[in-house]
């Protein structure tokens, strides 16, 4: 069966520090991969998605970037974190058209 | 472009009563439709999905949803709510062509009174 791993679960970072969140999927190949951010009490904001290795689509201009160095690995990065980058970050994958997205357990990011 | 609306931000019900959470979508054809549930601090878990065919779909945890094309709705229902159903519920819509993105509603937070 397929599984998705997202880490770390929680992260506290100072303003201006770099960021790297990692997401990996097991048990499938060539998945569509997604990064979302969820602000407190709000819905999901799509940040990036990828349909293949090295292919990244950005939805919202911001302080973040994403990379897909391997088929089942999706990384969210920042060179310098802002206070506004705080939130709950979710990685998701799906396989094929019309299939549901499956979510990781999320990373709670707090910026001090 | 597709869009989705969940009109109710918060809903409070007593344990044992029936529940209906509303979801309305906008799309030029029949989209892919999903309901997810999220417990605090957790990821989203898929409850059910609709692609085509029977307009009443059954999901996990005793939930069901009905697709109504004429009303552009996909409401989630449960005959008898349990205290453990307290969570946030998200409706999502996906286009059947042209995009890999799904659009999520802003969510409905369900509180269950014992």
């Amino acid at each position: 069966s397929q599984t998705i791993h997202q880490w770390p679960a929680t992260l506290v970072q100072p303003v201006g520090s770099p960021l790297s969140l990692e997401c990996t999927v097991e048990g499938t190949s060539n998945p569509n991969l997604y990064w979302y951010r969820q602000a407190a009490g709000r819905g999901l904001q799509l940040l990036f998605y990828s349909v293949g290795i090295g292919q990244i689509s950005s939805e919202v201009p911001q302080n973040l970037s994403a990379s897909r160095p391997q088929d089942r690995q999706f990384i969210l990065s920042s060179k310098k974190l802002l206070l506004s980058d705080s939130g709950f970050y979710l990685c998701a994958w799906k396989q094929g058209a019309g299939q549901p997205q499956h979510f990781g357990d999320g990373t709670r990011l707090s910026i001090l | 472009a597709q869009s989705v609306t969940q009109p109710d931000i918060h809903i409070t019900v007593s344990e044992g009563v029936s529940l209906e959470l509303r979801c309305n979508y906008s799309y030029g054809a029949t989209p892919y439709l999903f309901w997810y549930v999220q417990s605090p601090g957790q990821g989203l878990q898929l409850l059910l999905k609709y692609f085509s065919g029977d307009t009443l779909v059954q999901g996990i945890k005793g939930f069901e949803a009905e697709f109504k094309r004429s009303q552009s709705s996909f409401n989630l229902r449960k005959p008898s709510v349990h205290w453990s159903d307290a969570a946030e519920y998200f409706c999502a819509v996906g286009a059947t062509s042209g995009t890999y993105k799904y659009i999520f509603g802003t969510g409905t937070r369900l509180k269950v009174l014992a």
Side-chain angles (χ1 to χ4, degrees):
Chain A
S1 64
Q2 302 92 354
T3 56
I4 179 169
H5 301 281
Q6 192 179 341
W7 69 92
T10 60
L11 190 59
V12 180
Q13 292 284 97
V15 171
S17 63
L19 173 73
S20 180
L21 302 181
E22 188 161 344
C23 172
T24 60
V25 181
E26 295 178 357
T28 187
S29 60
N30 197 30
N32 301 148
L33 296 171
Y34 303 82
W35 278 111
Y36 291 89
R37 178 168 58 203
Q38 188 176 27
R42 302 180 65 179
L44 279 71
Q45 178 187 34
L46 179 62
L47 302 176
F48 303 93
Y49 67 95
S50 171
V51 301
I53 296 174
Q55 300 178 57
I56 307 296
S57 296
S58 175
E59 288 298 297
V60 182
Q62 60 212 325
N63 187 42
L64 302 170
S65 62
S67 62
R68 185 172 177 172
Q70 299 180 43
D71 182 43
R72 292 168 291 172
Q73 184 185 29
F74 204 24
I75 298 172
L76 183 68
S77 304
S78 174
K79 292 182 179 178
K80 286 186 177 182
L81 285 167
L82 306 172
L83 284 173
S84 59
D85 292 323
S86 292
F88 191 53
Y89 289 81
L90 289 159
C91 181
W93 72 274
K94 77 175 182 71
Q95 189 73 61
Q99 295 302 311
Q101 292 181 7
H102 301 279
F103 287 80
D105 290 332
T107 295
R108 173 74 57 194
L109 176 63
S110 300
I111 311 299
L112 303 179
Chain B
Q2 68 270 34
S3 66
V4 60
T5 301
Q6 293 181 248
D8 305 305
I9 298 175
H10 298 278
I11 286 183
T12 300
V13 299
S14 297
E15 193 172 21
V17 304
S18 63
L19 172 70
E20 183 170 34
L21 303 182
R22 296 184 291 165
C23 173
N24 294 97
Y25 69 88
S26 175
Y27 184 60
T30 298
Y32 302 121
L33 294 162
F34 311 91
W35 273 101
Y36 289 84
V37 60
Q38 183 183 34
S39 297
Q42 302 289 316
L44 278 70
Q45 180 184 21
L46 179 70
L47 286 174
L48 46 79
K49 59 188 179 184
Y50 175 78
F51 297 157
S52 63
D54 193 347
T55 56
L56 184 64
V57 294
Q58 302 297 320
I60 63 171
K61 302 178 186 282
F63 285 93
E64 65 179 26
E66 186 171 13
F67 168 63
K68 292 186 177 180
R69 185 193 309 273
S70 62
Q71 298 178 20
S72 297
S73 68
F74 188 56
N75 294 349
L76 182 71
R77 302 194 295 245
K78 186 169 185 178
S80 177
V81 175
H82 189 263
W83 64 266
S84 60
D85 294 324
E88 188 150 25
Y89 292 80
F90 292 92
C91 180
V93 58
T96 52
S97 65
T99 178
Y100 296 95
K101 300 183 293 184
Y102 290 171
I103 304 300
F104 285 79
T106 50
T108 297
R109 185 168 297 278
L110 175 67
K111 183 177 180 180
V112 181
L113 303 176

